[in-house]
Amino acid sequence: MATTGLAASAATKYDAVTPPKASSLPAELVSQLLVDLDGEVAALRKSDKLDIEGITEFQRVANYLAAAQIFLRSNGLLTRPLEKDDIKRRLLGHWGTCPGLNFVYAHTNNLISTLEKEGDAPTFLFITGPGHGAPALLATLYMEGSITRFYPQYPMSLEGIESFIRAFSYPAPGAFPSHVNAETPGAIHEGGELGYALAVAYGSVMDKPDQITVAVIGDGESETGPTATAWHAHKYLDAKESGAVIPILHVNGYKIGERTIPGTMDDLELACLYTGYGYQVRIVEYGRVNGQQPDGTVNAELDLAVNYDMATSLNWAYKEIRKIQTAARSGKPITKPRWPMIILRTPKGWTGPKAIGKNKIEGSWRAHQVPLPDALKDDEEFKLLGKWLESYKPAELFHTEVDNGHANAHVPGRVAEGIIDAKALRIIPKSIHLRMGQVKAAYDAFEPLVTPEWKEFGHKKDEVISNMKAIGSYVRKVVELNPKTFRIFSPDEISSNKLDEALQVTHRNFQWDPETAHDGGRVIEMLSEHTLQGWMQGYTLTGRHALFPSYESFLGIVQTMIEQYAKFVKMALETKWRGDVAALTYIETSTLWRQEHNGYSHQNPGLIGSFISLPRHLARIYFPADSNTSVSTIDHCLKSKNYANLIVGSKNPTRTWLSVEEAEKHCIAGASIWRSFSTDDGVDPDVVLVGCGVEVTFEIIAASALLRNEGIRVRMVNINDLLILGAKGDHPHALDEAAFESLFTKDKPVIVNFHGYPKDISGLLFNRTSHVGRSRFDVLGYIERGTTCTAFAMLRLNNASRYTIADIAVSRVAAAQPNHPIAPRAHELGSYWKHQLVLHEEYTIKYGEDPAWTDEIPEVAGQASGK
């Protein structure tokens, strides 16, 4: 039996059971920093305004269903005595966070229902940082009818709920995974890798003034760097134009095997930290009665107390949000508004088994995963499991007489009333559009971007212009046409990367900067790529569009986030009820070939390889070589859906090689023969020279001129769409063999000068007949050489210069055609070209710059310069 869970682990000297020490900070700070709602809590308890029965019954059902999903493959509602054969052979899942998630979900439902009755209910999304708590989310989604709506095979009946319980982490078609993902209704966050939930939540509410996202952040997750920076996200939220986030830090105290950092902090330390981030902080804690730690208070009283506290605190948070938004929208915005947050302390594995033998489970790290991992083979654990499940009194919660023949079992718009007792469902919103699993923004909110005609932003052939400036002019118009549905997220680099023309029609959005506060702005800059990525995911997954430009060497910081996002989108495309989303478009500029001033640390094209490894039908990688191909490419990418687009460009001035019409055809094809730089339009070549990238293509064109002047017939090819190189079937854009050979011939030497690591090209070609290891391809590119040097020195040091290309070409032609006129001169020419590189090195050492010829294309006999 495969299990996860450490509940049976033997106790050691360091068992994380000693109470944390108190802070040494002045105690009086607590009353100054923390929000005190004890009076309001007491008043609520004396009134009849809270459906406390509905809230607690909801949690009881949800907790039972969460536990049952982890353990049971049959007899899901315990309609007969539990048997070992009812237990799943593979026990998977994470119990420890589930009761806390169910607690928050219940209270969020209660708040929505209350506002619904008042006619003032915004839409709420629910994001779970502890995405491994999927049993909790699935349980609550079943209760509100969302599972049945999107998965009719799980009706609201005895058969349906039994199948639903069995389906969690079960190796069968249509089963649910152990983590929240795109198959989970209401989810806009991949629940595997921790750290991104808070940033995604803030991105989801930007430009959605009537939306609130509740983001539950696990205390283990709060230790991650991405979460640490995302706490600043509210400082970029304009209350006039955007919605709000209610962050709830769930401090259950433990990770898999030890305490969390927040779990060792007292109220004072937490208050200081999160007040410093700019929040109003309210602590809700299981174990407080009237603000005091009780002695000997029965669990029922503790359960009531924490529920009244949470209801009061969540209502307070909502009112604070409305206060901030009302001020902003009435023209009297609050300077540096302090948004509300809640710190929730509940026991890890709350309501679960208390202990196994002498080992504590509830309220310890042993509750993190499967608290009874040996229940199938250990009699004591089996008995504890039965006792635990029966403690929820499922016979009171479920009406097992409701079978598939019941009239309402298959009605998607209903809650699970019938199979589940009505008391537990009272707090669920009546409108399906307000139920958090069915909010349209989370699964079907895409609206196409309004784009200009890209050809109006073209440039004349041979004009010298920065490719990024050309893109910047186009993006400026996109900003104008989409004032509420398009944003640029950039790590303080939009001006450096020559995309700042957009700032002529908008500005940076930073609400804590007095010069940009309370005035919107389509550009958000923050030196945390993780936070920017999270914002962009939240923004695009709720229907909008975004662009992420960055330095090439540092965009790789979010590599695993991109990979997690791609997994989410892959599953979303396989999930029938999810609609399209805008592609994520990244621009890598300030690239390695022109980072000679910043040096070695700024030279890293590694993200290209990561993109190649993404699910192939989702990845797009482009290397536009001039201004017109750049504008055509960005136009295509911003219009696209369900992809991750990577554009690798250059911000330095570059010659425009193709006309607008030529660029359009080139980009559609993905690669083409550039006839102007080929012999007889590329017919019957001796060698094929291939450029993929800006600076390396310049050197290919220069090498072509050198070779043609020596009588070698050259075909010059440029690649814009990198993934055409993969074998047919590897990618939707991959060339079939006939198209591949029409560009690269069947048998002639091919030299590829690539922007990134040569291995990336070699890997794509591996399954081709023209595999580099067994035939005629030489691949040049970045080989980790060069630091603070000149631009041409970078090319020279990495064997990507015109002279190295020409030397290799002559050698390959002479070897392939021993009777070619160039063969007797191959050694002489190769030696001469190698010597030019030695002279270049001597020149740069003497003068500290490149000679003028490095920016020029040699003249070809009989042609004008550069043709």
Side-chain angles (χ1 to χ4, degrees), residues 353-385:
K354 305 298 182 186
I356 298 178
K358 295 181 180 180
N359 290 339
K360 184 179 180 182
I361 298 180
E362 184 187 71
S364 86
W365 50 271
R366 288 187 178 86
H368 182 79
Q369 295 176 315
V370 179
L372 299 172
D374 294 322
L376 183 61
K377 61 183 180 181
D378 183 277
D379 290 341
E380 181 186 0
E381 290 196 17
F382 174 73
K383 186 181 296 184
L384 282 172
L385 174 60

Side-chain angles (χ1 to χ4, degrees), residues 743-758:
L743 288 174
F744 305 112
T745 75
K746 283 188 175 183
D747 55 2
K748 299 298 171 63
V750 180
I751 302 168
V752 182
N753 210 23
F754 179 52
H755 173 92
Y757 293 117

Side-chain angles (χ1 to χ4, degrees), residues 244-314:
V245 173
I246 301 178
I248 299 177
L249 176 64
H250 185 203
V251 182
N252 62 32
Y254 297 90
K255 303 189 288 285
I256 291 177
E258 66 168 338
R259 297 186 197 277
T260 61
I261 293 174
T264 67
M265 299 170 71
D266 65 10
D267 289 0
L268 181 52
E269 290 161 331
L270 291 170
C272 288
L273 176 61
Y274 290 100
T275 301
Y277 270 120
Y279 293 94
Q280 297 183 70
V281 182
R282 170 65 181 172
I283 294 181
V284 176
E285 182 171 0
Y286 178 83
R288 288 181 189 271
V289 178
N290 296 326
Q292 302 297 316
Q293 296 289 347
D295 291 321
T297 308
V298 296
N299 285 345
E301 174 57 24
L302 298 183
D303 290 344
L304 286 175
V306 75
N307 276 284
Y308 277 106
D309 195 342
M310 187 63 177
T312 303
S313 299
L314 204 54

Side-chain angles (χ1 to χ4, degrees), residues 8-31:
S9 300
T12 68
K13 178 182 177 181
Y14 305 104
D15 207 34
V17 295
T18 306
K21 303 299 182 183
S23 169
S24 58
L25 293 166
E28 59 269 19
L29 283 176
V30 170
S31 61

Side-chain angles (χ1 to χ4, degrees), residues 66-72 88 90-95 135 168 370:
Q69 287 176 80
I70 293 172
F71 284 94
L72 301 183
K88 292 177 178 176
R90 300 169 69 248
L91 295 180
L92 303 171
H94 295 72
W95 164 251
F168 174 75
V370 179

Side-chain angles (χ1 to χ4, degrees), residues 166-487:
R166 178 188 177 97
F168 174 75
S169 284
Y170 202 73
F176 296 103
S178 66
H179 289 63
V180 172
N181 76 340
E183 297 164 287
T184 310
I188 58 167
H189 171 59
E190 182 71 27
E193 188 173 16
L194 296 177
Y196 316 136
L198 188 58
V200 170
Y202 276 101
S204 74
V205 301
M206 291 178 179
D207 296 321
K208 284 191 175 290
D210 297 319
Q211 182 176 300
I212 295 175
T213 297
V214 173
V216 182
I217 311 303
D219 50 349
E221 178 183 23
S222 74
E223 298 178 358
T224 64
T227 300
T229 53
W231 288 112
H232 291 292
H234 67 91
K235 296 166 185 170
Y236 296 84
L237 202 65
D238 187 341
K240 181 179 180 180
E241 66 184 9
S242 294
V245 173
I246 301 178
I248 299 177
L249 176 64
H250 185 203
V251 182
N252 62 32
Y254 297 90
K255 303 189 288 285
I256 291 177
E258 66 168 338
R259 297 186 197 277
T260 61
I261 293 174
T264 67
M265 299 170 71
D266 65 10
D267 289 0
L268 181 52
E269 290 161 331
L270 291 170
C272 288
L273 176 61
Y274 290 100
T275 301
Y277 270 120
Y279 293 94
Q280 297 183 70
V281 182
R282 170 65 181 172
I283 294 181
V284 176
E285 182 171 0
Y286 178 83
R288 288 181 189 271
V289 178
N290 296 326
Q292 302 297 316
Q293 296 289 347
D295 291 321
T297 308
V298 296
N299 285 345
E301 174 57 24
L302 298 183
D303 290 344
L304 286 175
V306 75
N307 276 284
Y308 277 106
D309 195 342
M310 187 63 177
T312 303
S313 299
L314 204 54
N315 187 57
W316 158 80
Y318 175 76
K319 288 181 177 179
E320 288 299 311
I321 287 168
R322 284 304 193 215
K323 185 189 302 180
I324 294 168
Q325 292 176 337
T326 299
R329 296 168 191 179
S330 63
K332 299 177 181 178
I334 299 169
T335 300
K336 290 187 176 181
R338 293 180 63 222
W339 296 86
M341 74 166 288
I342 294 171
I343 297 175
L344 173 64
R345 279 200 179 112
T346 61
K348 196 174 188 75
W350 185 19
T351 75
K354 305 298 182 186
I356 298 178
K358 295 181 180 180
N359 290 339
K360 184 179 180 182
I361 298 180
E362 184 187 71
S364 86
W365 50 271
R366 288 187 178 86
H368 182 79
Q369 295 176 315
V370 179
L372 299 172
D374 294 322
L376 183 61
K377 61 183 180 181
D378 183 277
D379 290 341
E380 181 186 0
E381 290 196 17
F382 174 73
K383 186 181 296 184
L384 282 172
L385 174 60
K387 183 179 179 181
W388 171 23
L389 294 175
E390 289 287 1
S391 72
Y392 298 106
K393 300 181 180 178
E396 298 176 2
L397 302 176
F398 303 102
H399 301 297
T400 56
E401 71 279 5
V402 177
D403 60 16
N404 278 345
H406 193 277
N408 293 325
H410 303 274
V411 181
R414 295 183 62 85
V415 295
E417 188 175 2
I419 185 61
I420 296 175
D421 192 77
K423 292 194 296 292
L425 307 175
R426 288 200 301 248
I427 63 170
I428 295 173
K430 298 295 184 291
S431 169
I432 63 170
H433 304 296
L434 293 176
R435 297 176 195 169
M436 290 181 283
Q438 300 180 51
V439 173
K440 193 172 182 180
Y443 72 94
D444 190 23
F446 174 81
E447 294 185 7
L449 190 71
V450 181
T451 57
E453 170 53 61
W454 75 266
K455 295 177 184 178
E456 296 177 3
F457 300 86
H459 294 267
K460 294 181 179 178
K461 205 167 180 177
D462 292 327
E463 180 181 350
V464 177
I465 182 174
S466 161
N467 295 353
M468 289 303 108
K469 280 194 169 294
I471 288 177
S473 297
Y474 173 88
V475 170
R476 168 188 170 168
K477 190 62 178 179
V478 172
V479 171
E480 286 186 283
L481 293 173
N482 302 272
K484 294 183 179 180
T485 56
F486 178 77
R487 287 186 183 245

Side-chain angles (χ1 to χ4, degrees), residues 454 456-459 463-477 493-504 547 549 587 589-590 624 626-632 634 647 649-654 656 694:
W454 75 266
E456 296 177 3
F457 300 86
H459 294 267
E463 180 181 350
V464 177
I465 182 174
S466 161
N467 295 353
M468 289 303 108
K469 280 194 169 294
I471 288 177
S473 297
Y474 173 88
V475 170
R476 168 188 170 168
K477 190 62 178 179
E493 294 159 1
I494 190 169
S495 296
S496 175
N497 286 329
K498 312 299 183 186
L499 294 169
D500 50 330
E501 190 171 329
L503 297 178
Q504 296 178 16
L547 178 65
I587 298 179
T589 184
S590 296
D626 71 355
S627 61
N628 289 335
T629 55
S630 294
V631 179
S632 174
I634 189 66
I647 302 172
S650 177
K651 66 183 184 182
N652 296 90
T654 303
T656 301
V694 176

